[in-house]
Each structure stands twice: as structure tokens, then as C-alpha cells.
């Protein structure tokens, strides 16, 4: 089934989530021999690991799906507007089976290193099981939010109860009934899980460091009329989606600056967006993420909603986000989050007032009190975007490590390539729209671009491609300039690397959106991959690139 030890393939794909699977499919389509490695025991990436109660996508299901196969789209039916983790995982498994992708993937095998051999222009990929595979191309599809931050609370090793992380939720489930539970962290994961944990546990204490902006997901069944319209013009719908910033569309975008309309009209629009779905709130006006005063109107709208939802005014005040712009930390799509704090069996601890001092054998000690608990849920986030790549010991030309290349923050060309690392491509890498857009749409755009680049090399007798250092610096500057134009850098968010101590403070995503980004990528490709350097030579490795798909 698999190539033998020390075998050679055209491309190694690291990761078998949405990105890795489509890369395997597409590269096989263009005739490359491929080999995939996945650290987990099964495919699915993010959706394999994040099984915490309430885990749900914040992009609509019809949009958060592949578009490369019309047949796939025709035969798959999503049950909910915002799909749950189990349904998304079922979809991913269906795709892998339907396109016979599993046979290329070695599961439960972590890529521990990859080094570029400059003489042969080949990568050697090493795995945790001691395998070494030579390949022309490496496609790193290791995920953007796939490396949970390890909990670093003093005393945790002495805790006699159980502790779990949302981003590595146990597959055999976690018993909540009769348990006193603590949740630490109120980002998307915490805020999605909290209402469900509260309903299942004997008692819940939420430990909040920063109150987050959120809005109701407004989940429900997929609207049949919307679905029919999408299916009637599937390609047209997807093309239009690709031109948007977020890789998603809604009918409520006014295209107007928030302060250009009257207060009453603004309130009505916010109300309409609130009742449509959380993502509409962020884009109902055109300038919410660039104009502080406009942003404050949205922030105030959300704060008022919290005051209405939460009965105890003191609790409502603690849950009210302040001190950073609305949306600059990821807006959370939740269901019943604030109302959960009206339950008599749920408490809120504000860590800004009473920080955690340590974990004791029986619970959590803050500067004010001991909170006895049986189970601690860490919803404390990820080493986002750069973490999974840096964890892999990638070595480019002259033995350059990625840590060295990125000592002051990630430098990439388009979030797709890194100077000094020839024939390596990253999917949704830092410097691409990635986490700020529909990841599945972005993945398809990335993989298609990579496949076109490889086709270009094949057609022109080129065996090595590498981002130029100058082009890379110019791209980093463009990413920074775009981010600085917005309010995003004004929050201590994981978008800025602020959640990981010592991580360089750099805005990690390309903020101008998928549509603009895809156009830039196309222009660059049309100009002969301007900014990239190529080396002439035979591209083919055994088996030949022209062999039929396996
Ligand atoms: P996030 O969004 O990084 O949220 C992590 C939360 O944990 C956030 O509220 C943090 O507070 C809190 N946190 C982190 N470290 C600590 C410590 N040491 N003490 C107390 N509280 C802490 O991660 P999620 O998993 O919720 O979401 C990640 C993305 O996954 C999400 O945006 C979606 O795209 C999917 P802070 O705000 O840093 O003060």
C-alpha cells in the first residue's frame, strides 16, 4: 500500500485535515505521486481533535465545504446552518473515502523533521516512527490552530481530579454528571462549551481573564430556499464567495460606514444582523474594523445585549468586554452563553480581580478563595499559525532552521512559501488570509495555486522554486501595513501572537481578505511567479511525474 522505507515520492503532504486531504487529491490529479502523514490516529485535523461539547464551525456549512467536485457538493447534505464537529468530521471522512485518499495517508505518524538536500534538490522527511522519505515537494498542511498551549499552572501535577483541554478532548468522552467543573478560558472554545457543560455538570465555575465580544450563532436547520439557490448556481455562488473578504456572504452588508446612517437606522441594522447570525454583525457596516468610533457603536450594541441577558448587574458588568475593539479578538459565535450565568449552579470568577495563584490537589486557588472542583477544562487556546510549523524542525538551504528564519516573527511570501526553504509550500500559512477567512475556501485557493506552480515548473523544465528574500520582505511589509490600517493590532489576541509568552508580536494573517489576496496571487502567477527564483533541471523523480494517478 505504502512506499517502502526510504522511498521517494514527488510530494509529501503533512497533515490530513481539510488542507492535507485536498492537497493529496489535487497533486494526485496532476500526476504526482503523493504520501501523506498525519500525527493523529485518524484524519480530520482540527475536527478530529476539537471534540469538546458544543464544538461548532463559525462559517455556514454550505460555505465551509469543498467546491472542487460538483458531485460531492450535490450528494452531501448538511443538517444544520453551522455544522457541529461530529458532522464536519463525518464530511471529511466521506471525502477521504469518496476520493480514495486514505491509502496515501500514514496515520498516527508525526513528521518530526524535514531537511532540504541542495545537491539533489530533494527533501528528506523524517517521522516519529523512524521513517525517512525523499520527495521533491513538501506541502505543510499542519493546521493553524492545531497546537494547544500546554496548561502552565503551578500545582497542576498535584491535582487529584481530572483535567482536559478543549483542543485535545478525550475520545471516550468526559463524564460531567455530578461533577464540580472549572472552565478556564472564554475564547470561542470556552464560550461554546460553557452552556453545555453547565447543563450537564453539578456545578460550574468559569474563570475569565478577558471578557470577549460574542453574538448568537443563530444556528438552525439549513434554510431550504438558500440551499436551493446555492445548488442552482453552485459554481457562480462559489465564485462570488471567493471574491469576498471572509469567504462567506450574507444579505445584510450595507456597504456603508456606520456613522453615515442615523442612530436609529444603525440600531435597526445591528438588530437585524444580530438576529441573522453573528458573522453579519461584524460586516453589516463597512468600517467597523478600521474606524474606532464606528467600532465603538458595535461594541456598545453588544454590551447592551449582555446587560439584557444577564440578570445580576455585577455579573453582567464582569462579562462586559472593554479596553479593546469589538472584533479585534475573534468574535465568538455562541448559543446561550450569557444566559448561562443566570443559572444558580454557575459562578463567574474574574481573574483580573482575583488571579489564579495555583492549582491545589482539590481545586483552584485564587487570590481570594479556594474553589473545589473535580474536573478542570482548559480552554486556553493555541500556539496559532506558526506553532505547528516551528514544531517540525524544518531545515532549508545551508541547514537554515525555521526558528532561525522566523526569530523575529514569521516571514513568508504570500503565506505560501518561505525564502531559504525551496519546494516547500505552506497551506494557510502566516501572512495569508487563513484564520480571518473561510479556511476551506482559502485551502482550495492555496492548493490550486501550488498545483499551478508545479505545473509551471513541469512545463518549463524547472526543478526548484524558492521565494526571493526581497519579495518576502515586501510581502511582510504589505501584511503589516494592511493590519496597521485596521483595529486588529489593538488587542492582545492570538492573531498577534500575544497569547504565547515570548512569541514575537506580529499580526499573523493577511487582513485584506480572500478576494483581494487571491487576485494578488493570480497576478503574481501570471507574471511568471514574480518574486520567486527557479532553477532549471529535470523535475521528475521516480515514479515519473507523468505517471497516471494512483
Ligand atoms: P482563544 O481564543 O485563544 O481563547 C483562550 C482563552 O483562554 C482566552 O479567554 C484567554 O484569555 C484564556 N487564557 C489563556 N491563557 C490563560 C491563562 N493562563 N489564564 C487564564 N486564562 C487564560 O482559544 P480558543 O480555543 O477559545 O479559540 C481559538 C480559535 O479556535 C477560535 O478563535 C476559532 O477560530 C477556533 P485572554 O483573552 O488571553 O485574556
Amino acid at each position: 500500500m505504502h512506499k517502502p522505507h526510504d522511498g521517494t515520492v514527488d510530494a509529501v503532504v503533512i497533515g490530513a485535515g481539510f488542507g492535507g486531504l485536498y492537497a493529496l487529491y489535487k497533486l494526485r490529479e496532476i500526476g504526482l505521486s503523493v504520501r501523506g502523514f498525519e500525527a493523529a490516529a485518524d484524519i480530520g485535523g482540527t475536527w478530529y481533535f476539537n471534540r469538546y461539547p458544543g464544538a461548532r464551525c463559525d462559517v455556514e456549512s454550505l460555505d465551509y465545504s469543498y467546491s472542487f467536485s460538483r458531485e460531492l457538493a450535490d450528494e452531501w447534505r448538511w443538517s444544520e446552518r453551522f455544522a457541529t464537529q461530529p458532522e464536519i468530521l463525518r464530511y471529511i471522512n466521506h471525502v477521504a473515502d469518496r476520493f480514495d485518499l486514505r491509502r496515501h495517508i500514514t496515520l498516527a505518524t508525526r513528521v518530526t523533521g524535514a531537511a532540504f538536500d541542495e545537491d539533489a534538490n530533494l527533501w528528506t522527511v523524517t517521522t516519529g516512527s523512524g521513517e525517512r522519505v525523499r520527495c521533491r515537494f513538501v506541502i505543510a498542511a499542519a493546521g493553524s490552530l492545531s497546537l494547544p498551549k500546554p496548561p502552565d499552572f503551578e500545582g497542576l501535577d498535584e491535582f487529584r481530579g481530572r483535567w482536559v483541554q478543549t483542543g485535545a478532548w478525550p475520545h471516550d468522552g468526559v463524564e460531567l454528571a455530578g461533577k464540580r467543573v472549572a472552565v478556564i478560558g472564554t475564547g470561542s472554545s470556552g464560550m461554546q462549551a460553557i452552556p453545555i457543560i453547565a447543563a450537564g455538570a453539578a456545578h460550574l465555575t468559569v474563570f475569565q481573564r478577558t471578557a470577549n465580544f460574542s453574538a448568537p450563532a443563530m444556528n438552525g436547520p439549513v434554510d431550504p430556499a438558500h440551499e436551493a439557490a446555492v445548488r442552482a448556481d453552485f459554481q457562480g455562488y462559489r465564485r462570488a464567495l471567493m471574491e469576498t473578504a471572509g469567504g462567506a456572504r450574507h444579505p445584510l452588508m450595507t456597504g456603508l460606514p456606520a456613522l453615515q446612517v442615523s442612530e436609529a437606522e444603525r440600531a435597526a441594522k445591528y438588530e437585524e444582523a444580530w438576529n441573522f447570525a453573528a458573522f453579519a454583525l461584524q460586516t453589516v457596516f463597512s468600517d467597523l474594523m478600521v474606524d474606532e468610533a464606528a467600532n465603538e457603536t458595535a461594541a456598545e450594541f453588544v454590551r447592551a445585549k449582555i446587560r439584557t441577558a444577564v440578570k445580576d448587574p455585577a455579573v453582567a458588568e464582569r462579562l462586559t468586554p472593554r479596553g479593546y475593539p469589538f472584533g479585534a479578538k475573534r468574535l465568538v459565535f455562541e448559543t446561550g452563553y450569557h444566559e448561562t450565568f443566570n443559572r444558580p449552579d454557575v459562578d463567574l470568577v474574574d481573574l483580573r480581580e482575583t488571579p489564579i495563584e495555583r492549582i491545589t490537589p482539590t481545586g483552584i486557588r485564587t487570590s481570594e478563595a479556594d474553589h473545589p472542583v473535580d474536573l478542570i477544562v482548559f480552554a486556553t487556546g493555541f500556539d496559532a499559525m506558526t506553532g505547528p510549523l516551528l514544531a517540525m524542525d524544518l531545515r532549508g538551504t545551508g541547514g537554515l532552521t525555521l526558528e532561525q528564519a522566523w526569530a523575529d516573527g514569521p516571514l513568508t511570501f504570500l503565506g505560501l512559501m518561505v525564502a531559504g526553504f525551496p519546494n516547500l509550500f505552506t497551506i494557510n500559512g502566516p501572512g495569508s488570509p487563513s484564520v480571518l477567512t473561510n479556511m476551506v475556501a482559502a485551502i482550495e485557493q492555496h492548493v490550486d495555486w501550488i498545483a499551478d506552480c508545479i505545473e509551471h515548473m513541469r512545463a518549463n523544465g524547472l526543478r526548484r522554486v524558492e521565494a526571493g528574500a526581497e519579495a518576502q520582505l515586501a510581502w511582510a511589509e504589505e501584511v503589516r501595513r494592511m493590519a496597521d490600517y485596521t483595529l486588529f493590532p489593538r488587542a492582545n489576541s492570538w492573531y498577534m501572537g500575544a497569547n504565547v509568552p515570548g512569541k514575537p508580536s506580529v499580526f499573523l494573517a493577511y487582513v485584506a481578505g480572500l478576494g483581494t489576496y487571491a487576485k494578488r496571487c493570480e497576478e503574481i502567477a501570471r507574471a511568471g511567479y514574480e518574486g520567486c527564483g527557479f532553477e532549471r533541471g529535470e523535475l521528475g523523480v521516480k515514479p515519473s511525474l507523468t505517471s497516471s494517478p494512483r
Side-chain angles (χ1 to χ4, degrees):
M1 184 169 70
H2 295 307
K3 303 243 162 256
H5 255 50
D6 295 327
T8 300
V9 288
D10 298 330
V12 162
V13 176
I14 305 170
F18 268 105
L21 289 178
Y22 182 52
L24 287 169
Y25 169 83
K26 180 78 187 187
L27 297 185
R28 187 182 65 182
E29 281 292 294
I30 66 164
L32 268 65
S33 58
V34 288
R35 181 87 197 266
F37 289 103
E38 168 56 58
D42 209 344
I43 63 169
T46 289
W47 301 105
Y48 175 84
F49 285 106
N50 285 270
R51 296 168 185 242
Y52 61 84
R56 201 182 272 287
C57 188
D58 56 9
V59 177
E60 286 188 281
S61 317
L62 285 167
D63 302 347
Y64 194 79
S65 352
Y66 290 118
S67 68
F68 68 85
S69 160
R70 178 67 204 245
E71 294 73 29
L72 169 66
D74 281 346
E75 72 201 15
W76 185 264
R77 290 279 183 282
W78 292 104
S79 68
E80 290 180 90
R81 191 175 172 204
F82 297 96
T84 58
Q85 174 270 333
E87 189 169 26
I88 300 173
L89 193 57
R90 274 200 299 282
Y91 173 76
I92 292 173
N93 276 280
H94 169 72
V95 171
D97 292 335
R98 192 188 191 289
F99 297 100
D100 193 16
L101 298 172
R102 278 184 203 279
R103 69 196 162 100
H104 305 295
I105 304 166
T106 308
L107 295 170
T109 305
R110 185 174 290 282
V111 168
T112 49
F116 188 68
D117 171 346
E118 289 172 64
D119 297 328
N121 281 308
L122 291 174
W123 283 92
T124 304
V125 174
T126 356
T127 73
S129 57
E131 196 171 351
R132 288 156 55 85
V133 181
R134 302 267 279 173
C135 57
R136 184 68 84 195
F137 298 103
V138 171
I139 316 293
S144 304
L145 293 157
S146 51
L147 192 63
K149 286 198 308 172
D152 56 356
F153 294 88
E154 213 186 309
L156 181 58
D157 47 351
E158 290 155 32
F159 181 56
R160 290 203 295 267
R162 186 175 187 193
W163 64 267
V164 294
Q165 287 180 281
T166 48
W169 196 260
H171 283 215
D172 47 1
V174 177
E175 183 60 53
L176 297 171
K179 299 272 189 308
R180 296 163 303 174
V181 182
V183 174
I184 303 180
T186 53
S188 298
S189 306
M191 289 172 91
Q192 284 188 336
I194 281 164
I196 298 172
I197 294 177
H203 185 271
L204 171 64
T205 311
V206 175
F207 294 82
Q208 169 195 278
R209 188 164 69 182
T210 309
N212 236 324
F213 287 101
S214 69
M218 291 294 170
N219 189 39
V222 173
D223 172 18
H226 174 58
E227 182 168 9
V230 171
R231 292 188 185 283
D233 178 21
F234 182 68
Q235 297 305 345
Y237 178 81
R238 292 299 292 221
R239 259 198 312 280
L241 203 97
M242 286 302 297
E243 284 167 16
T244 66
R249 295 207 300 172
H250 67 82
L252 303 180
M253 286 182 195
T254 60
L256 295 171
L259 297 174
Q260 198 168 300
V261 302
S262 72
E263 201 176 329
E265 198 180 333
R266 199 162 52 238
K269 286 289 171 203
Y270 281 143
E271 196 62 40
E272 215 182 333
W274 178 268
N275 290 320
F276 182 76
F279 71 100
L281 197 61
Q282 217 166 357
T283 43
V284 61
F285 293 111
S286 60
D287 59 346
L288 295 181
M289 290 315 296
V290 294
D291 182 299
E292 220 175 320
N295 184 283
E296 186 54 22
T297 64
E300 264 309 308
F301 176 83
V302 175
R303 291 178 192 132
K305 289 287 186 191
I306 296 171
R307 286 193 289 272
T308 311
V310 182
K311 289 192 184 126
D312 180 337
V315 176
E317 183 52 30
R318 287 193 190 100
L319 289 168
T320 298
R322 298 190 194 283
Y324 65 94
F326 159 82
K329 277 172 177 273
R330 194 180 185 87
L331 180 70
V332 178
F333 295 33
E334 43 76 14
T335 305
Y337 176 72
H338 291 106
E339 292 77 4
T340 300
F341 292 89
N342 295 331
R343 295 175 65 114
D345 50 4
V346 174
D347 291 325
L348 176 68
V349 174
D350 185 336
L351 298 178
R352 299 200 178 219
E353 294 167 6
T354 57
I356 293 176
E357 286 188 343
R358 62 177 294 116
I359 301 202
T360 68
T362 53
I364 297 176
R365 179 172 302 157
T366 66
S367 58
E368 186 188 49
D370 273 317
H371 299 269
V373 292
D374 309 303
L375 170 70
I376 304 175
V377 176
F378 293 101
T380 44
F382 299 84
D383 183 350
M385 301 192 66
T386 52
L389 294 168
L390 287 166
M392 272 192 295
D393 192 20
L394 300 173
R395 287 168 193 259
T397 49
L400 177 75
T401 66
L402 200 60
E403 280 95 338
Q404 290 164 340
W406 287 4
D408 299 325
L411 283 171
T412 70
F413 184 52
L414 303 171
L416 275 160
M417 300 163 106
V418 184
F421 296 79
N423 293 4
L424 168 81
F425 295 99
T426 52
I427 309 284
N428 276 336
S432 75
S434 56
V435 290
L436 293 182
T437 193
N438 172 348
M439 294 286 257
V440 181
I443 281 164
E444 289 194 324
Q445 184 269 341
H446 264 198
V447 171
D448 291 349
W449 193 91
I450 293 165
D452 286 349
C453 181
I454 293 174
E455 293 271 41
H456 170 83
M457 292 171 74
R458 181 154 55 183
N460 292 283
L462 306 167
R463 65 178 174 186
R464 171 168 160 169
V465 59
E466 183 179 350
E470 271 178 34
Q472 181 170 267
L473 277 179
W475 183 252
E477 178 54 22
E478 186 168 335
V479 172
R480 193 192 57 75
R481 209 165 21 86
M482 295 284 182
D484 285 350
Y485 179 70
T486 72
L487 302 173
F488 278 103
R490 301 209 196 165
N492 289 327
S493 69
W494 58 261
Y495 294 143
M496 288 293 290
N499 65 332
V500 175
K503 192 163 170 170
S505 179
V506 172
F507 195 78
L508 293 168
Y510 180 74
V511 87
L514 185 60
T516 308
Y517 171 82
K519 279 200 194 76
R520 293 279 282 116
C521 289
E522 269 169 43
E523 282 162 18
I524 286 162
R526 261 204 309 276
Y529 297 88
E530 193 176 19
C532 297
F534 290 95
E535 186 180 295
R536 294 218 151 266
E538 194 54 42
L539 181 64
V541 288
K542 281 185 225 159
S544 129
L545 280 174
T546 51
S547 63
S548 57
R550 269 141 291 137

